[in-house]
Amino acid sequence: SIYQAASVSYDALINGLSILFIGLCFYMAYGEKKKLTWKDTILLGSVLAVLFMCKYIYICLGILVFLIPKEKFGKVKDYIQTFVISLIPVFIAVGVILLNSMIPTSTSVEIETSSEILEEVQNVAYTSQLDYVLHHPLQYVKILVSTIIVHFDFYMRMLNTFGWMNYPLDMLQYLVPMLMVAIAVLDSNGIEKKIKVFDRCVMFLGFLLVLVLGMTGIYLFDGNANVIGAQVIAGYQTRYAIPGLIVLLSSITSVNVKNSIKNFSYGVCSIMSAFLFYSALRVLMMCY
């Protein structure tokens, strides 16, 4: 996250907005506020609209609004009216995207050209990657599973690598913070009692949508990384799944896990700050 924030990539903005959106959904679903209005939910719609304009797939995080009980809006009519109003920013964002898509870009021309070349050279019977997937939906499911199995070690190592520098961090800097995060999400400050089975299913579905749609987007539209009919998806990076990982971890909270450490959050922040300082020091020593 620090690397993304220090780069020109808008994935830093996406991660931040995703955490904000997820936090707002959890606050409205499990917080102490008993009555919600359109002013509350239009904030959700605005954040979701900006996420959509950054990368389309993250609009699927909008499924988390189903965590919010209808009772917090009063009558069913008020519930529907509130969320219709909150969708206004999303509709505007979709309109802007569609308007921009009507303007031809050099990238789209290159992708079309590369597909035509592949079709001629390899004598492929399919006109596009989408055409291949539509003709072989079950095979595409196998491709998704194969990709995760084949690249799992690569995806995990990418969580322990400092961005484009390909500088590997120490294993403790990778494992210890993840262990702390796992303990923290298992014991979620008492809200785990409010999380129902339906809520866990919604969270897990949100994770799956982020993961699968992210891989599908790369597979369908990155013609340079994935030739038509490729059996393993190339070009997917772990950072694309960070928003999905957040809701995945949130779905495994448990009433059977209790954290007895006093001031646990302060301790975690202190230890992870030490790791961050050490990482920055190592990078400076390597570069200078």
Side-chain angles (χ1 to χ4, degrees):
S1 295
I2 294 296
Y3 160 72
Q4 292 298 326
S7 70
V8 295
S9 171
Y10 48 74
D11 284 322
L13 176 64
I14 290 173
N15 291 344
L17 287 172
S18 298
I19 293 171
L20 175 61
F21 181 81
I22 295 167
L24 286 171
C25 287
F26 285 1
Y27 171 72
M28 293 181 187
Y30 309 118
E32 297 179 356
K33 194 170 183 178
K34 296 182 179 179
K35 180 67 175 177
L36 299 176
T37 66
W38 65 269
K39 293 181 181 179
D40 297 303
T41 55
I42 202 168
L43 178 58
L44 289 177
S46 300
V47 176
L48 193 62
V50 179
L51 272 173
F52 177 75
M53 295 184 73
C54 291
K55 281 187 180 177
Y56 308 155
I57 65 165
Y58 295 109
I59 198 172
C60 64
L61 287 175
I63 195 174
L64 296 179
V65 301
F66 292 108
L67 298 174
I68 306 173
K70 292 191 291 292
E71 293 75 20
K72 290 202 171 187
F73 298 92
K75 300 178 180 178
V76 176
K77 178 182 177 182
D78 298 329
Y79 176 75
I80 297 173
Q81 181 180 354
T82 298
F83 276 98
V84 168
I85 294 174
S86 69
L87 286 174
I88 292 175
V90 178
F91 287 135
I92 294 174
V94 171
V96 171
I97 294 294
L98 291 176
L99 187 63
N100 289 337
S101 67
M102 295 178 184
I103 304 173
T105 61
S106 58
T107 304
S108 61
V109 174
E110 289 173 3
I111 291 176
E112 289 174 7
T113 303
S114 62
S115 297
E116 291 172 2
I117 293 173
L118 285 169
E119 196 173 333
E120 292 175 2
V121 174
Q122 299 179 352
N123 194 24
V124 176
Y126 305 101
T127 58
S128 65
Q129 196 77 277
L130 178 60
D131 185 33
Y132 173 80
V133 172
L134 291 176
H135 279 84
H136 302 281
L138 294 179
Q139 179 63 24
Y140 181 63
V141 175
K142 294 180 180 179
I143 291 172
L144 286 171
V145 175
S146 299
T147 299
I148 295 174
I149 293 174
V150 171
H151 290 318
F152 183 79
D153 180 66
F154 169 69
Y155 293 149
M156 296 303 290
R157 283 189 288 109
M158 285 187 71
L159 287 174
N160 189 35
T161 302
F162 195 73
W164 56 268
M165 296 176 68
N166 291 325
Y167 173 69
L169 301 174
D170 291 343
M171 286 305 295
L172 282 179
Q173 293 175 259
Y174 165 54
L175 295 175
V176 174
M178 286 189 66
L179 176 61
M180 292 178 176
V181 170
I183 296 172
V185 297
L186 284 170
D187 179 18
S188 301
N189 300 317
I191 71 163
E192 65 274 2
K193 295 180 180 179
K194 300 179 181 179
I195 301 178
K196 303 174 184 177
V197 175
F198 172 79
D199 298 351
R200 297 181 190 277
C201 293
V202 170
M203 293 176 191
F204 188 74
L205 181 58
F207 158 71
L208 281 182
L209 288 174
V210 170
L211 180 67
V212 172
L213 293 181
M215 288 187 169
T216 301
I218 295 289
Y219 189 72
L220 294 181
F221 303 113
D222 191 344
N224 294 322
N226 297 282
V227 297
I228 297 177
Q231 297 301 295
V232 175
I233 300 172
Y236 187 80
Q237 300 186 43
T238 313
R239 69 173 187 267
Y240 302 154
I242 289 177
L245 291 174
I246 295 171
V247 290
L248 172 64
L249 291 173
S250 301
S251 70
I252 62 172
T253 54
S254 173
V255 294
N256 298 318
V257 177
K258 292 298 178 185
N259 175 19
S260 60
I261 301 175
K262 188 177 181 181
N263 298 323
F264 177 76
S265 298
Y266 296 108
V268 171
C269 289
S270 300
I271 294 173
M272 295 184 73
S273 296
F275 279 129
L276 177 61
F277 175 77
Y278 180 65
S279 301
L281 184 63
R282 288 284 300 274
V283 172
L284 286 173
M285 291 174 64
M286 182 185 72
C287 296
Y288 300 103

